[in-house]
Amino acid sequence: MAPTWLGLPARRGPEKFPAAARRALADSQLRRNLRKATTTIRTRRAEVVAELEDWEQLRAAGKAIKDQALASLDGYLEQFERAATAAGAQVHWARDAAEANAAVAAVARAHGAREVVKVKSMVTEEIGLNDALAADGIAAVETDLAELIVQLAGDRPSHILVPAIHKNRSEVRELFLQKIGGVDPALTDEPHRLAAAAREHLRRTFLAAKVGVSGANFAVAETGSLVVLESEGNGRMCLTLPEVLVSVVGIEKIVPTWADLEVFLQLLPRSSTAERMNPYTTVWTGVHPGDGPQEVHVVLLDNGRTRVLADEVGRQALRCIRCSACLNVCPVYERVGGHPYHSVYPGPIGAILTPQLVGVENASSLPYASSLCGACYEVCPVAIDIPEVLVHLRAEVVESKPHRTAESTAMQAMAWVFGDERRFAAAQRAARLAPLSGLVPGPLSPMTRWTSARDLPPIPAESFRAWWQRERGGAPEGGGA
Ligand code: SF4
């Protein structure tokens, strides 16, 4: 079966991360945009997190709640379905992207809608909903400002929270002048003027739309409620104005009780937008006569999540609340942006989630898109040990390769050398002669690719082991070299 990439049209193919990252690195404007944006967001996040003395306890509570939900996910999902149905919602189950897209399209068709308005949603990007609806003759209009920018540009999001992080203000101004009809030619690149132009463009669409489409940040099993957090108010318009609302919800979004939300409503805004409180938090439970959409659908989506759940180490990725804090501290993401990850989930969370959702054999370069510095784990509000999962996935990548690679052969040889004291001492003696044999850096060395971006320290004239023997006599404790 051809590899599938989350949110990426199949025709683009599974380009490896290193090749795409190399191209991104050559774009100095992109690097400037990314450095400015990530530095600003992570500095603000650190400030607001430092205000809470019990941040680490909140983090532990968030982790515990998510782990509890994942441990009994089947039961909580059924509880959610019962509660949501009792409140008037219609619940659909989707095994994969095709089933979820078909469910949304069927609702839109049933109401004769040729256009739907969308709240910013990662999961609908993941399943390629816009393309699927377009194939059915239904236009999906993004209403989040950054998503709208990406859509107008025919581009792809490059950040979970700030999808147009790779574009600066003057690029957005140019785009609006070209793509939005009736925009004042005197439009400047001041943020409030750009926002006003987008608002005017969207207002007409909001008022005409019959069907709204959303994702959800949380789904409360106890009450059957869905929760969306957003900053612009466009989400509230999509969730309340149309007659019909369809929400696509990944099954990992479940939290057991209403009280659990208290923890996440503190963790998420500080970690994502560096705000103490979220500007717009919309909660709805089924249908309320005369108030908001009168037909509410919930599509519960698997799309590889149960496979992730089956992996004891990797399942912690399902705790993710998509705050994007890990992206903003990642030295790799800061330099290359989101596009080289070839997934709607970029950065550290993408490096562990995408390979698990699509299979490591289909995304084998992503677990290596990390320096393993651990900054992502430090900031993650639900304490996902991303480096642990990266190392775990790297082992799976190695095991999945049918043939031995030069690297795996070299590693096996190293293990053989390091496994015996005499072999190790002999290797050290040989290494000192290596300049003659071309094994250390040089134009003809087989290590040239590795050393082109790293410094290999010079091999000392005397090993630590030899020094110890000369100075103290005998071997150092623990057999170190
Ligand atoms: S892995 Fe953690 S830090 Fe990264 S987006 Fe998910 S919750 Fe946020």
Side-chain angles (χ1 to χ4, degrees):
M1 196 172 72
T4 54
W5 287 75
L6 302 182
L8 185 73
R11 64 180 180 278
R12 297 290 297 271
E15 185 189 33
K16 297 270 187 196
F17 180 86
R22 205 167 291 125
R23 225 181 15 261
L25 276 172
D27 185 341
S28 54
Q29 179 66 53
L30 172 76
R31 292 211 312 276
R32 267 196 298 279
N33 294 352
L34 286 167
R35 192 182 319 119
K36 188 164 184 295
T38 54
T39 307
T40 307
I41 304 174
R42 71 171 172 251
T43 307
R44 284 204 208 130
R45 177 213 156 266
E47 286 165 6
V48 295
V49 162
E51 291 172 357
L52 291 186
E53 281 178 15
D54 62 349
W55 180 255
E56 284 308 316
Q57 286 94 322
L58 271 172
R59 238 181 133 211
K63 172 179 186 284
I65 292 166
K66 279 286 186 173
D67 279 345
Q68 182 196 346
L70 292 171
S72 306
L73 191 56
D74 50 350
Y76 286 124
L77 284 166
E78 284 172 2
Q79 188 186 7
F80 174 86
E81 182 183 31
R82 280 195 300 276
T85 306
Q90 299 175 46
V91 177
H92 313 253
W93 296 82
R95 273 170 296 202
D96 54 24
E99 288 188 4
N101 288 332
V104 180
V107 172
R109 270 198 313 269
H111 290 272
R114 305 319 301 166
E115 191 171 83
V116 300
V117 283
K118 278 186 72 201
V119 188
K120 178 181 177 314
S121 143
M122 299 303 299
V123 76
T124 56
E125 295 276 355
E126 174 190 323
I127 60 176
L129 178 65
N130 291 9
D131 286 345
L133 289 178
D136 239 336
I138 302 163
V141 181
E142 297 290 350
T143 63
D144 172 85
L145 178 56
E147 288 283 358
L148 175 70
I149 292 167
V150 168
Q151 187 175 47
L152 289 173
D155 202 349
R156 286 181 291 128
S158 64
H159 189 278
I160 290 176
L161 184 72
V162 199
I165 197 171
H166 54 295
K167 295 204 178 295
N168 63 24
R169 286 189 278 155
S170 58
E171 290 171 314
V172 173
R173 175 183 168 273
E174 285 304 315
L175 183 70
F176 280 10
L177 286 172
Q178 285 171 20
K179 297 287 172 86
I180 299 182
V183 168
D184 181 358
L187 178 70
T188 67
D189 66 2
E190 293 163 280
H192 70 278
R193 297 230 180 264
L194 295 173
R199 188 177 300 127
E200 200 173 318
H201 167 67
L202 287 172
R203 190 57 57 109
R204 295 185 289 272
T205 315
F206 278 131
L207 293 173
K210 267 191 181 169
V211 177
V213 176
S214 81
N217 293 96
F218 304 101
V220 184
E222 181 181 50
T223 57
S225 310
L226 294 179
V227 186
V228 162
L229 280 73
E230 41 111 17
S231 300
E232 298 172 7
N234 64 298
R236 172 86 40 100
M237 308 265 269
C238 289
L239 298 167
T240 54
L241 287 178
E243 294 161 23
V244 182
L245 176 62
V246 195
S247 304
V248 183
V249 182
I251 54 175
E252 83 285 14
K253 299 290 180 183
I254 287 279
V255 294
T257 69
W258 182 255
D260 294 331
L261 277 183
E262 179 213 354
V263 172
F264 295 107
L265 294 184
Q266 294 179 74
L267 286 172
L268 185 50
R270 286 177 197 258
S271 300
S272 57
T273 47
E275 287 165 307
R276 297 182 182 97
M277 195 178 159
N278 199 62
Y280 292 89
T281 301
T282 306
V283 183
W284 69 103
T285 309
V287 175
H288 293 266
D291 182 12
Q294 295 301 293
E295 188 177 316
V296 170
H297 297 260
V298 184
V299 182
L300 292 171
L301 175 75
D302 182 339
N303 208 29
R305 285 159 175 78
T306 45
R307 182 173 46 209
V308 183
L309 192 60
D311 186 315
E312 277 183 29
V313 179
R315 71 169 63 128
Q316 56 186 307
L318 295 178
R319 292 204 297 263
C320 178
I321 55 173
R322 312 279 190 264
C323 71
S324 76
C326 58
L327 278 64
N328 301 327
V329 296
C330 176
V332 176
Y333 178 86
E334 183 180 329
R335 281 157 185 81
V336 302
H339 290 161
Y341 294 83
H342 282 289
S343 163
V344 291
Y345 304 115
I349 181 59
I352 61 169
L353 189 57
T354 305
Q356 295 194 81
L357 288 175
V358 303
V360 285
E361 66 283 5
N362 295 322
S364 59
S365 59
L366 286 184
Y368 296 90
S370 168
S371 64
L372 296 182
C373 68
C376 46
Y377 174 47
E378 294 295 318
V379 297
C380 178
V382 283
I384 299 172
D385 192 340
I386 294 174
E388 181 191 25
V389 184
L390 285 167
V391 172
H392 171 68
L393 293 175
R394 288 180 188 188
E396 283 192 8
V397 170
V398 172
E399 279 160 24
S400 73
K401 292 205 168 133
H403 305 296
R404 197 174 287 286
T405 61
E407 187 185 18
S408 65
T409 306
M411 287 298 163
Q412 204 167 40
M414 297 276 272
W416 183 76
V417 170
F418 287 170
D420 179 272
E421 191 183 315
R422 276 165 306 184
R423 284 201 290 268
F424 184 68
Q428 283 184 316
R429 283 194 297 277
R432 266 176 234 113
L433 302 172
L436 300 175
S437 61
L439 283 174
V440 294
L444 300 179
S445 164
M447 294 173 69
T448 305
R449 279 184 64 197
W450 194 85
T451 55
S452 66
R454 303 170 180 86
D455 291 329
L456 188 68
I459 296 165
E462 182 181 38
S463 71
F464 171 69
R465 195 175 189 82
W467 173 86
W468 186 279
Q469 264 174 346
R470 180 166 52 74
E471 291 289 321
R472 312 265 171 104
E477 258 181 58

